[in-house]
Amino acid sequence: MDWLRALQHLRREGRSGVLVTVTSVRGHAPRETGAKMVVTAGATWDSIGGGNLEASAVARARALLAAGTATPERLELALNEHAANDYGRQCCGGEVALLLEPQPARAVVAVFGLGHVGQELARILSRLPLAVRLVDSRAAQVQQLAAVGLDDGLADVRLIHAPAPETVLAALPAEAHVLVLTHDHAEDLVLCEAALRRGDLASVGVIGSSAKWQRFRKRLREAGHADAAIDTITSPIGLPELRGKEPAVIAISVAAALVQVLQREPMSALAGLRSAVRG
């Protein structure tokens, strides 16, 4: 795929990368000003010309990714036989300036359950720079939300009908953030167990009362999960000081708690969108 589709792909998947652009050329060079490529830790898309030029850019881009750097960086390379090259000789005779722009991964937030609260929460999250998965085991709920349309905000939104939603949870990337809001307590419990089996999610929050969570905690212990693991799940979710049982109020409370935590992290589009909804 080309560099633009690669960037879109990375955003949808919640993965980070670096956009490399040829900003100026003096003399002869493999590519013209404006040529671009995208670099991730394990792949590249498009090209700025190959050879030592491209290999040096890829190496530097991956160093920026490894360091978690968010600041763009300029890189100048000479293409002649006298230049000190690390990846082979390139004798075009020119000089090339590159701009390396880190593209932070968007936080992935998965909402399981698109009832009244889930739909209100979906509308709020669609306004934020996130990769949002909206999942329900009921096709009608997914269709209802699809009819509303959530594509006019900043988020990359994916609506998913999943009769067995735990399969979607299993396929989420590591460090995804999960909110469990389904219509069925049995389904909520299955999702909690699936999350604990993974052990690599940034956070898991479950809607409901303290009494509901105490029942869940007992069931999860009986299923063999350690208290330390169970404690990684937050329930109830939302800001405790924000009271009200209206779906919109609950959704605002949950979204506010999410933003509070995400803003603490570096390398995110919201001044800190990597950590999770702890409710």
Side-chain angles (χ1 to χ4, degrees), residues 127-144:
R127 315 304 297 177
L128 300 174
L130 301 165
V132 179
R133 312 284 193 268
L134 302 173
V135 188
D136 204 294
S137 58
R138 302 163 294 174
Q141 297 302 118
V142 175
Q143 293 165 2
Q144 184 178 10

Side-chain angles (χ1 to χ4, degrees), residues 20 24-26 28-30 48 50-58 60 74-80 83-87 90 93-98 100:
V20 182
S24 68
V25 174
R26 294 179 58 188
H28 297 286
I48 57 168
N52 181 74
L53 169 67
E54 185 163 304
S56 297
V58 169
R60 185 57 193 158
R74 183 178 171 86
L75 180 64
E76 296 184 353
L77 294 166
L79 309 179
N80 60 64
N85 295 332
D86 294 324
Y87 304 99
Q90 203 162 14
E95 296 179 356
V96 176
L98 306 174
L100 281 66

